[in-house]
Amino acid sequence: MRIPHEILAGLLNIVLGLAVLMVIAALLTWVERRLLGLFQDLPGPNRVGPFGILQVVPDGIKLLFKPDWIPPFADASVFVLAPAIAMVTVMLAMAIIPATPTIGIIGNLNIGVLYFLAMSGLGVYSVVLAGWSSNNKFSLLGGMRAAAQMVSYEV
């Protein structure tokens, strides 16, 4: 069974897009740490690689192997689901933004602006769920306040 050319091109666009985003995130993390070191009159990351540029690699490995901690009274499934919803909605919203006329178009929608606004509007649910999941009335109030601000700024 052969895979159609369009599906392969779409998968390649997704992989390339994620790779570019990961490199940009690593670079911006390095820039932030160097600037914070400069502001605080500290050297910043300077141990791994030239000018500490490879420091994001051990930091990423450390994050992968850190155990997750869920508060004892929290609803564990919602506590894990809330940040996942936030990330998925942002990635789905960015899926329609083309990098070039031929590369980066994951979804070619006629109603792209409406789709972008709908996906970015779904991020409100993650904030409310994050406040609700910890089983604390003050975090629930904070989540509701943040959701109200997000909705009012979108309008």
Side-chain angles (χ1 to χ4, degrees):
M1 182 170 122
R2 292 182 51 104
I3 299 175
H5 181 279
E6 295 84 19
I7 293 176
L8 286 177
L11 288 175
L12 182 64
N13 279 338
I14 291 171
V15 169
L16 286 176
L18 287 176
V20 167
L21 287 177
M22 289 178 67
V23 169
I24 289 172
L27 181 67
L28 288 177
T29 301
W30 175 76
V31 168
E32 178 188 18
R33 292 179 71 184
R34 290 296 285 193
L35 286 175
L36 288 175
L38 179 69
F39 296 157
Q40 298 170 8
D41 199 21
L42 296 170
N46 62 356
R47 304 272 188 236
V48 184
F51 302 109
I53 193 105
L54 298 177
Q55 183 63 42
V56 294
V57 175
D59 288 345
I61 292 171
K62 181 184 79 169
L63 279 174
L64 284 176
F65 290 106
K66 282 182 82 169
D68 289 337
W69 182 78
I70 298 174
F73 295 106
D75 186 358
S77 60
V78 179
F79 193 83
V80 172
L81 187 66
I85 290 174
M87 189 171 131
V88 166
T89 56
V90 169
M91 291 180 77
L92 285 174
M94 295 300 163
I96 61 166
I97 298 176
T100 68
T102 58
I103 298 174
I105 302 173
I106 295 172
N108 189 5
L109 301 176
N110 293 332
I111 53 169
V113 174
L114 182 62
Y115 175 80
F116 179 82
L117 291 173
M119 288 298 114
S120 61
L122 289 177
V124 175
Y125 291 112
S126 67
V127 174
V128 172
L129 287 175
W132 180 52
S133 67
S134 65
N135 200 14
N136 183 343
K137 62 183 173 184
F138 296 112
S139 66
L140 176 62
L141 286 173
M144 297 286 278
R145 181 177 179 269
Q149 284 180 335
M150 289 173 72
V151 169
S152 67
Y153 288 138
E154 285 176 8
V155 170

